Amino acid sequence: MTKQHLEESRMNSIRVAVIGTGIIGRTLATRFAEAGHAVTVGTRNPGRDGLDDARHTGARLSSIQEALDSSEAVVWAINGAAMADAIPAYGRDLAGKVVIDATNNIGAPTMNSLALIAEHAPTARAYRAFNSLGWENFKDPCYGEETGDLLYSGPAGPGQTVTEALIAATGLRPIRIGDNDKAKTVDDFVTLWFTLAFEAGYGRNLGFKILTR
């Protein structure tokens, strides 16, 4: 993130809840907090789970309920299969918020949980983002002189501004490919990333760049 973008981010601090303390959740929480956003990390066991790296940058650890109550935007970064229980349980708490699905339900007919969010939180503004790259890309998005891009889907409007600010907080350039009818295209990049990283042998420090004239 450039100095200008960092200063702009701090002037427009977002109250964001990151739900999940895995490597993706911890990395995103750290980057959001470093960019000046007010970050609360929600977990089922706030007294047991460690989040020292994010705490050092100002993120706060709490219960899931407390994190949701204090947020205007929510990033779900838990196991994708667990969304089937989590979203019905907390759907009412997502009403009117920007909700970003960063989970991947690998092996399921649909990798994302956008339909579940729409069913249980119909007034939430849902986005599909942070699911198509590894945590390494969020920690360091630079490849020599180039900075990586992150494709995402979701509705245009105020929620888009919030989502793009959070993506920019990681240093990645946000690329909106359309509304959530394009979410499968975002999910296809998950398959591509895994194929290139592991089957083709490029390794986990692999990013994407969209080039235009």
Side-chain angles (χ1 to χ4, degrees), residues 8-175:
E8 289 174 353
S9 178
R10 284 176 173 157
M11 289 174 61
N12 299 283
S13 178
I14 297 166
R15 290 178 289 106
V16 55
V18 177
I19 309 302
T21 55
I23 188 64
I24 292 288
R26 296 199 312 272
T27 303
L28 290 176
T30 299
R31 297 311 307 274
F32 297 161
E34 288 173 342
H37 298 298
V39 184
T40 305
V41 178
T43 173
R44 291 178 297 178
N45 302 293
R48 185 184 69 188
D49 293 338
L51 196 70
D52 290 339
D53 47 359
R55 276 200 187 101
H56 289 321
T57 62
R60 189 167 61 91
L61 193 64
S62 75
S63 68
I64 293 175
Q65 187 64 63
E66 184 180 352
L68 296 177
D69 289 344
S70 65
S71 68
E72 59 188 301
V74 181
V75 178
W76 287 93
I78 63 176
N79 183 289
M83 292 287 276
D85 293 326
I87 296 303
Y90 294 103
R92 286 181 294 180
D93 302 296
L94 303 177
K97 299 179 185 290
V98 174
V99 179
I100 301 175
D101 178 13
T103 70
N104 288 318
N105 195 354
I106 304 296
T110 302
M111 199 177 297
N112 64 72
S113 297
L114 293 173
L116 200 62
I117 294 168
E119 178 184 356
H120 294 279
T123 63
R125 290 164 287 175
Y127 293 82
R128 183 64 164 151
F130 298 117
N131 65 300
S132 58
L133 297 173
W135 67 270
E136 298 91 343
N137 305 104
F138 304 132
K139 183 178 181 180
D140 182 3
C142 297
Y143 305 87
E145 297 297 318
E146 296 288 345
T147 300
D149 295 338
L150 183 71
L151 277 66
Y152 78 98
S153 68
Q160 176 185 0
T161 301
V162 170
T163 300
E164 292 196 349
L166 293 176
I167 293 172
T170 70
L172 292 162
R173 182 178 66 152
I175 301 288

